[in-house]
Amino acid sequence: MEIKKQSQINNISLFEVTYKSRNYFVKGCLGIPDNDRTYPGILYLRGGLKQVGMVKKEWVAELAQHGYVVLAPYYRGNEGGEGKEDFCGDDRDDAFNGFDELAKLKETNGEALHIIGFSRGAVMALFTGMARKASSIVCWSGVSDMTLTYNERPDLRRMLKRVTGGDPVTHPSEYERRTPLTQIHYIKAPVLIIHGEEDQHVSVEHAHLLETYLKGSNKPVKKHIYPGMPHHFRSSARQHAISETIKWIKRHNNT
């Protein structure tokens, strides 16, 4: 992995990284606390597509200030990276390989590795948790069923048809491939679900479905539903959710 320092926020050094993901070189943001020691790692998987929902360096630094090395992939085709996103299809390799690169860092040597996925990043987080041994997973305002996303988001249908080749009726296998629920028994880590009850981008039904499938496979899961909260939480609720996220991660640092 190629690492270039970009900036500093408080006691966190922020870097732009370039790493190999299958046939592409992709980019991301890396936050490392300045103290010379090892830390647990967090792979932060953003939501959105292209510039919508792009990684915020302040968010990377905020997580890192809790004592974590944080790697946030931009996903292929973004910020100078090669390739093109396909919304949780082949671009999930960017998450898998990001996890591997995080594990290789001397700053995380032997420490626990966690995954946080926001919005569509939750799909990436769950598939990464099936493919790699994470210590814990957090799904925040997360998608869990891609067909449900198609049905409840008319504004995304054109994009979904482009990346899948059609709609859920004509191309069901492509939507199933992007839906982690049917493969949830492969999850290896405990999952925390955080969701706003009034989310108009990713309905709270995604959270309820994910919990149901996890419990049905006897997987450890905890769910926090925030009354009145939309997709992006307001300040006090956001701080509470961050606190619950860090508590969850710390609880599983040795697993």
Side-chain angles (χ1 to χ4, degrees):
M1 181 163 63
E2 180 182 332
I3 302 176
K4 295 181 180 179
K5 187 166 183 179
Q6 284 194 317
S7 59
Q8 187 92 10
I9 297 180
N10 296 328
N11 62 334
I12 305 300
S13 292
L14 294 170
F15 305 85
E16 181 185 82
V17 300
T18 305
Y19 64 93
K20 191 73 178 292
S21 180
R22 292 286 177 120
N23 298 321
Y24 302 114
F25 283 100
V26 300
K27 295 183 180 292
C29 179
L30 175 67
I32 301 177
D34 287 341
N35 295 330
D36 187 18
R37 45 161 287 201
T38 60
Y39 297 89
I42 294 175
L43 181 70
Y44 174 69
L45 300 169
R46 70 175 186 89
L49 186 76
K50 297 183 178 178
Q51 290 304 307
V52 176
M54 182 48 72
V55 172
K56 293 181 173 60
K57 294 179 174 60
E58 296 80 6
W59 175 230
V60 172
E62 183 179 16
L63 286 173
Q65 283 168 354
H66 289 278
Y68 293 87
V69 175
V70 182
L71 176 61
Y74 296 149
Y75 305 145
R76 57 190 57 185
N78 292 304
E79 303 296 315
E82 297 174 344
K84 184 181 293 185
E85 290 183 79
D86 63 349
F87 212 70
C88 309
D90 292 338
D91 60 6
R92 71 183 68 174
D93 285 329
D94 304 348
F96 299 170
N97 288 290
F99 187 94
D100 296 340
E101 294 296 336
L102 184 61
K104 292 176 188 176
L105 291 171
K106 63 181 178 60
E107 291 85 359
T108 63
N109 183 32
E111 299 283 352
L113 300 179
H114 308 271
I115 309 170
I116 299 174
F118 180 79
S119 195
R120 77 97 153 189
V123 174
M124 309 283 272
L126 291 166
F127 280 125
T128 305
M130 297 174 195
R132 301 292 188 271
K133 185 169 174 50
S135 294
S136 74
I137 299 169
V138 179
C139 295
W140 187 330
S141 300
V143 172
S144 64
D145 185 323
M146 201 61 72
T147 296
L148 179 59
T149 295
Y150 181 91
N151 290 335
E152 67 187 13
R153 289 292 302 273
D155 57 315
L156 295 182
R157 288 177 188 171
R158 182 177 178 183
M159 177 275 292
L160 286 168
K161 288 179 179 178
R162 175 174 56 79
V163 299
T164 63
D167 60 33
V169 174
T170 60
H171 290 70
S173 62
E174 285 298 317
Y175 287 82
E176 183 176 343
R177 185 164 81 97
R178 291 168 170 81
T179 296
L181 298 178
T182 58
Q183 303 172 54
I184 210 69
H185 53 283
Y186 290 117
I187 284 283
K188 304 180 180 74
V191 178
L192 174 65
I193 301 169
I194 293 172
H195 217 105
E197 196 170 44
E198 302 302 323
D199 193 333
Q200 297 298 309
H201 294 279
V202 180
S203 74
V204 72
E205 181 64 18
H206 288 266
H208 298 324
L209 281 171
L210 179 56
E211 180 189 39
T212 297
Y213 274 77
L214 285 165
K215 286 184 173 180
S217 292
N218 296 312
K219 303 296 181 179
V221 57
K222 184 175 182 180
K223 183 176 71 177
H224 288 296
I225 301 299
Y226 286 75
M229 285 300 106
H231 194 57
H232 296 280
F233 288 10
R234 293 185 285 274
S235 181
S236 59
R238 180 178 178 277
Q239 289 306 312
H240 184 271
I242 290 172
S243 176
E244 291 301 311
T245 294
I246 297 301
K247 286 179 186 177
W248 179 260
I249 287 173
K250 285 183 176 179
R251 186 183 310 159
H252 298 287
N253 264 344
N254 296 318
T255 59

